[in-house]
Amino acid sequence: MKRILLCLGLLSVVLWACGPSEEKTTERPPITDSATKPKVDKAASLGEKVYKMNCLVCHQKNGKGNLGLYPPLAGTDWVTGDKERLIGVLLNGMQGEIEVNGETYNNVMASYATLKDEEIAAVLTYIRSNFGNEASAVTAAEVAAVRSKS
C-alpha cells in the first residue's frame, strides 16, 4: 500500500511539473537582427567552406597569395571592384599576365564553373568582406546573369 501511495505521489509531482504553467507564454519573441543572423552565418559559412576547399591552397589562409605565383585577394580592386569581372574570373578561369597591387603574376586560375551559383556568390561575398576587404555582397542572381552571358 505504501508503494502505491508513493508511486501515486511521484506521478502527481511529475504531472504537476510537466503541466501548463501560468508563467509560460505563447507569444513569439520579436524578430530582431539576431533572429536573422543564422541566415547570414549560413551564407558566410558556405563562403568560407568553398574558399577552404578551392582557394586556400593558392591564395592562402590570409588572402595574401604567394608572391610571384598567386595574387593576393586582400586589398585589391580585382576583388573589391567590378563584380562582373570577378564573377567572370571564377566562371571562366584566367591565364596570362596580370598586375595586382604593383606586382606581375602569370599563372593559371582554373575555372570554377562547376560550382553552383549560390556557392560562387558565397565565396565571392566571403573574399569581398574578409582579408581587410569591405565590399558589397555578390548574389546568386548576379552570378547567374554573368553565367548566362558566357
Side-chain angles (χ1 to χ4, degrees):
M1 181 72 155
K2 285 184 181 181
R3 282 187 181 175
I4 293 173
L5 289 175
L6 182 61
C7 287
L8 287 175
L10 287 174
L11 181 60
S12 64
V13 169
V14 169
L15 291 175
W16 175 79
C18 294
S21 168
E22 293 175 15
E23 296 175 22
K24 291 184 182 176
T25 179
T26 58
E27 288 182 41
R28 291 184 179 200
I31 295 177
T32 62
D33 287 340
S34 62
T36 59
K37 192 169 175 117
K39 283 186 180 180
V40 174
D41 288 345
K42 184 177 179 183
S45 176
L46 175 60
E48 184 176 15
K49 178 181 174 186
V50 173
Y51 183 84
K52 286 179 178 178
M53 290 176 58
N54 298 285
C55 314
L56 183 131
V57 171
C58 297
H59 297 288
Q60 303 302 303
K61 185 176 182 176
N62 60 8
K64 292 187 178 180
N66 282 311
L67 190 60
L69 294 174
Y70 303 105
L73 302 176
T76 172
D77 94 330
W78 278 90
V79 171
T80 60
D82 182 25
K83 288 183 188 182
E84 193 168 316
R85 176 181 70 178
L86 182 61
I87 294 167
V89 170
L90 258 72
L91 288 174
N92 304 312
M94 176 183 254
Q95 72 180 59
E97 278 191 9
I98 62 167
E99 188 174 309
V100 179
N101 296 347
E103 296 291 329
T104 301
Y105 295 87
N106 188 7
N107 214 329
V108 175
M109 164 81 178
S111 165
Y112 288 92
T114 57
L115 293 175
K116 297 175 186 172
D117 293 346
E118 295 78 17
E119 293 171 317
I120 291 175
V123 73
L124 293 181
T125 297
Y126 176 78
I127 67 171
R128 287 171 58 90
S129 61
N130 281 281
F131 315 125
N133 297 326
E134 293 180 8
S136 61
V138 175
T139 66
E142 289 171 317
V143 175
V146 174
R147 190 187 295 267
S148 70
K149 293 178 186 178
S150 298

